[in-house]
Amino acid sequence: MNRPLCLYYAPDNASLCVRIALEELRMPYQTQLLDRQAKAQRSPAYLALNPNGLIPVLETPQGPMFETAAILLWLADTHGALMPSPADPARAHALQWLFWLANTLHPTQRMMFYPKQYTDGDREAFRNFSRQSVREKLTLLENAHNADWLHAHTPSIMGCYLGPLLRWCIIYGKAFEPTDWERWPRLHAFATRTETRPAVQRACSIEGLGPTPFSAPHPCNPPEGSAT
């Protein structure tokens, strides 16, 4: 018998991207809360699942998986949804944007959140540099001509990833304010459209993120656990 999927998560962490995908797919899954304040993600038991000590991990019938983009791609390919199939010509552009989110935008955000992990110099100057870099990358995405998923009314794993990233730009990174959306109207339209999806509303309600989690986010108020 296949083991049920189990998402190791903390509220308003990268596990949110995976939770949204699971909700979009209507997959049955269990959850295991990680107490970040107690550094549960650094415990020996969790490091056996993800040696990086980062969130999330998804327990699958094939064993535990880490790396947000890898989990999202596995879910999409396993269940034949949220991503063009390998035979679809649209697959190439979808893959490049999935890995851009994982390898470019998300790491630059982490530099805003955790400057002490990246510099032993002026941390605030480094944080401000990272904020400017995030804004430049958002402009790049805003002006992209081959990101069809950004404007689609159907969900995608890229959308599952991008929605939380936009939230964190505002709520944690302070890269911009909701009043600055006029700089990125296409991204704003994506944020407001995506946060009205029932699957997204379910995921965000579970984690206490409020009714406008991407376009006008408020601090996380989860029923259990801590976001930091």
Side-chain angles (χ1 to χ4, degrees):
M1 180 180 295
N2 286 341
R3 292 178 294 178
L5 299 177
C6 182
L7 177 64
Y8 287 75
Y9 87 103
D12 211 12
N13 278 239
S15 48
L16 174 63
C17 308
V18 178
R19 187 192 288 274
I20 290 172
L22 289 166
E23 292 290 339
E24 289 285 9
L25 292 166
R26 291 195 170 275
M27 292 297 302
Y29 66 98
Q30 301 172 354
T31 57
Q32 177 64 52
L33 176 68
L34 293 166
D35 185 351
R36 286 200 56 173
Q37 292 185 342
K39 300 190 183 304
Q41 73 273 25
R42 295 289 180 178
S43 68
Y46 188 72
L47 290 174
L49 302 174
N50 184 351
N52 301 291
L54 298 174
I55 300 167
V57 159
L58 184 69
E59 284 271 20
T60 78
Q62 288 75 46
M65 288 189 67
F66 56 85
E67 292 296 330
T68 302
I71 296 170
L72 290 172
L73 186 56
W74 179 84
L75 285 170
D77 284 350
T78 300
H79 299 96
L82 304 183
M83 182 73 172
S85 71
D88 189 328
R91 173 85 167 193
H93 286 157
L95 281 174
Q96 73 180 7
W97 285 113
L98 174 64
F99 284 95
W100 182 86
L101 292 169
N103 296 342
T104 302
L105 182 57
H106 198 176
T108 307
Q109 281 195 338
R110 286 184 57 82
M111 294 178 187
M112 291 191 301
F113 305 153
Y114 310 112
K116 68 180 181 181
Q117 295 182 8
Y118 298 94
T119 181
D120 57 4
D122 187 330
R123 293 176 184 173
E124 196 54 35
F126 184 83
R127 193 193 302 273
N128 287 331
F129 174 83
S130 300
R131 285 174 177 144
Q132 178 58 29
S133 182
V134 164
R135 290 191 287 267
E136 290 170 358
K137 289 170 175 54
L138 293 179
T139 298
L140 182 154
L141 180 57
E142 170 76 18
N143 296 327
H145 297 296
N146 58 3
D148 294 343
W149 57 272
L150 188 63
H151 318 295
H153 288 269
T154 54
S156 67
I157 54 172
M158 291 76 70
C160 294
Y161 207 154
L162 179 60
L165 290 180
L166 293 174
R167 168 184 172 80
W168 302 330
C169 281
I170 299 171
I171 200 83
Y172 298 121
K174 307 297 183 185
F176 67 96
E177 299 292 334
T179 52
D180 297 329
W181 274 122
E182 63 183 17
R183 298 175 58 177
W184 305 290
R186 296 165 79 186
L187 295 182
H188 187 214
F190 164 85
T192 55
R193 181 176 66 250
T194 301
E195 67 192 6
T196 64
R197 293 191 56 80
V200 175
Q201 291 178 341
R202 289 195 301 272
C204 291
S205 175
I206 291 168
E207 299 197 9
L209 305 187
T212 55
F214 305 152
S215 65
H218 297 282
C220 179
N221 183 27
E224 61 175 5
S226 170
T228 57

